[in-house]
């Protein structure tokens, strides 16, 4: 009887969605970081020109 209760509790722990929430949060943070770098790049290029960014 104890083994059945342990197996059902293990099954419900997989269904609580912690992995899915972590995946959504990590993807959101990655997109936010990439967007902030892209915005910084475009502002830098507008202010200083592309020649200053590229190493010759």
């Amino acid at each position: 009887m104890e083994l059945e209760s342990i197996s059902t509790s293990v099954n419900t722990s997989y269904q609580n969605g912690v992995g899915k929430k972590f995946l959504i949060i990590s993807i959101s943070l990655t997109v936010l970081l990439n967007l902030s770098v892209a915005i910084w790049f475009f502002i830098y290029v507008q202010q200083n020109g592309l020649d200053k960014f590229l190493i010759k």
Side-chain angles (χ1 to χ4, degrees):
M1 198 65 163
E2 234 177 277
L3 291 176
E4 290 177 6
S5 64
I6 291 173
S7 66
T8 56
S9 66
V10 169
N11 288 339
T12 55
S13 69
Y14 286 122
Q15 295 173 356
N16 61 6
V18 173
K20 189 175 182 180
K21 289 177 187 176
F22 178 76
L23 183 65
I24 290 171
I25 291 171
S26 63
I27 290 174
S28 300
L29 289 176
T30 304
V31 168
L32 184 67
L33 178 66
N34 288 338
L35 282 175
S36 65
V37 170
I39 290 170
W40 170 84
F41 176 74
F42 287 126
I43 291 173
Y44 184 85
V45 167
Q46 284 180 352
Q47 288 178 353
N48 300 321
L50 192 58
D51 293 335
K52 290 233 178 187
F53 187 77
L54 299 174
I55 300 172
K56 292 184 179 182

